[in-house]
Amino acid sequence: ILDKNLKPGTPIAEVLGLNEIVLDVNVLPNRADCNSIYGIAKEISAIFDLPLKPLDLSYTTSSSKRVEVEVQDFELCPRYQSVVVENVKNAESTNWMQKRLSLLDHTPHSLYVDITNYVLLEVGQPMHAFDLSKIKGEKIIVRHAKENEKLLTLDEKEHELTESNLVIANESEPMVIAGIMGGMESGTYETTKDVMLESANFHFANIRRSSHALGLSSDSSIRYAKGVNVENTDIGLKRALNLISKLNAGNISSVVVDINNGLPETRIVESKVERINDRLGLNIETETMIKI
């Protein structure tokens, strides 16, 4: 129902707030860091010497519940983070979130699915929201699939898994093909009362091989297959919790489960300015290079 004060002849895109400019960016495989809105913003900031707006990662907590997590292969899953949110409001997401997702070819579903998709697009971190009641034993196990183990995925197809596939499982059965696609029982519903948010990092080569072998592809697997920075799990999780807090969508636990076998140290690579310019075929001044 349109505002009766609207003047005839007003462009409908303006009325519906769909007159934003959308950039269609072709990201080459070697620039996995640009597979997100914030990644592109960082690049533009460097190119045009513009200040980069910091992400709002603040949120408030009002619970202390946690789910136990066990990672059996740290090579294939270097980091797994999770947070429980109780008393969730899993209705439709807000108009501004639905509009932004729609502009980026994502069909809005429900608040928690939309929040995880929003974070995926904004900061490039794939996430998953589990209905806590579906996690049998309230324990997550990141493990290799058992030979001939089957999972009915969200595309309503049953897949026979092999030991080379990594799965996110509860005490008795797999729930998600790690980094690729969730099972039919792994999502959130209108009846969902409590949620466990997952933000994890998976080895790019394993995701690429599994995705190809199973004939399954998703926005998450595309990003994981090209490589996602292990530090991004924490940024993505905090950003999702910020949105949940901002939208008053549940009671966030203060317990952040962070399972890893030691995070990689920051590496410093030394190189001469001349060599960098020679490799690039450019002539960038030293001070400009440092600034970039």
Side-chain angles (χ1 to χ4, degrees):
I1 305 299
L2 301 178
D3 184 343
K4 60 185 177 185
N5 295 321
L6 280 170
K7 292 180 180 178
T10 304
I12 194 67
E14 187 180 313
V15 174
L16 299 177
L18 298 174
N19 54 343
E20 290 189 52
I21 292 170
V22 178
L23 295 177
D24 189 353
V25 183
N26 181 24
V27 180
L28 298 175
N30 65 317
R31 292 305 308 269
D33 59 303
C34 287
N35 275 323
S36 67
I37 306 292
Y38 204 63
I40 295 291
K42 284 180 180 178
E43 192 74 356
I44 292 169
S45 170
I47 292 168
F48 294 103
D49 192 21
L50 294 168
L52 183 69
K53 184 180 177 182
L55 288 164
D56 186 358
L57 304 178
S58 62
Y59 60 93
T60 54
T61 62
S62 54
S63 163
S64 58
K65 191 171 179 62
R66 62 173 287 166
V67 169
E68 188 182 346
V69 176
E70 177 189 341
V71 175
Q72 295 184 355
D73 190 333
F74 283 109
E75 185 180 349
L76 298 189
C77 178
R79 191 179 196 183
Y80 191 101
Q81 288 184 276
S82 69
V83 170
V84 170
V85 184
E86 297 179 284
N87 304 314
V88 303
K89 297 169 186 174
N90 199 28
E92 287 189 347
S93 54
T94 59
N95 284 339
W96 63 263
M97 185 175 284
Q98 288 191 31
K99 187 182 80 169
R100 287 186 170 188
L101 289 172
S102 296
L103 286 169
L104 297 177
D105 287 336
H106 275 251
T107 304
H109 291 280
S110 60
L111 182 58
Y112 274 79
V113 173
D114 290 356
I115 285 173
T116 56
N117 282 335
Y118 192 91
V119 170
L120 170 87
L121 294 166
E122 186 182 49
V123 301
Q125 176 60 42
M127 297 188 67
H128 194 79
F130 292 86
D131 183 321
L132 190 58
S133 68
K134 302 288 183 183
I135 304 176
K136 294 173 184 174
E138 291 198 0
K139 181 177 181 180
I140 286 288
I141 304 166
V142 184
R143 61 169 172 82
H144 288 264
K146 297 166 186 172
E147 205 64 37
N148 302 321
E149 199 165 31
K150 293 182 174 66
L151 181 64
L152 183 66
T153 49
L154 290 169
D155 60 356
E156 300 183 357
K157 292 179 182 175
E158 188 174 69
H159 296 273
E160 191 170 300
L161 309 176
T162 67
E163 289 180 4
S164 64
N165 305 133
L166 196 69
V167 297
I168 313 298
N170 56 33
E171 275 190 337
S172 58
E173 62 202 357
M175 299 181 74
V176 173
I177 303 173
I180 299 174
M181 192 173 288
M184 290 297 284
E185 292 289 306
S186 73
T188 57
Y189 316 89
E190 283 185 18
T191 55
T192 298
K193 292 183 173 65
D194 305 314
V195 160
M196 189 204 83
L197 276 179
E198 166 197 285
S199 184
N201 187 272
F202 302 109
H203 195 280
F204 71 95
N206 179 263
I207 298 296
R208 190 185 299 158
R209 281 195 297 267
S210 292
S211 179
H212 181 72
L214 294 167
L216 269 177
S217 182
S218 64
D219 285 318
S220 295
S221 68
I222 289 166
R223 283 165 176 78
Y224 278 130
K226 291 176 181 175
V228 176
N229 191 328
V230 73
E231 297 289 343
N232 225 36
T233 62
D234 196 50
I235 295 168
L237 184 62
K238 285 176 179 173
R239 183 60 177 150
L241 295 174
N242 169 266
L243 292 168
I244 291 166
S245 186
K246 192 179 290 182
L247 298 171
N248 194 27
N251 300 329
I252 300 168
S253 173
S254 59
V255 181
V256 177
V257 176
D258 189 350
I259 308 297
N260 61 78
N261 199 26
L263 297 176
E265 293 181 10
T266 300
R267 288 185 292 179
I268 296 171
V269 180
E270 293 186 3
S271 177
K272 291 182 178 179
V273 169
E274 292 80 9
R275 185 170 186 272
I276 294 172
N277 276 326
D278 185 54
R279 296 284 289 178
L280 293 174
L282 298 171
N283 185 26
I284 302 171
E285 296 292 330
T286 305
E287 289 306 313
T288 304
M289 203 176 281
I290 290 166
K291 202 171 186 181
I292 293 169

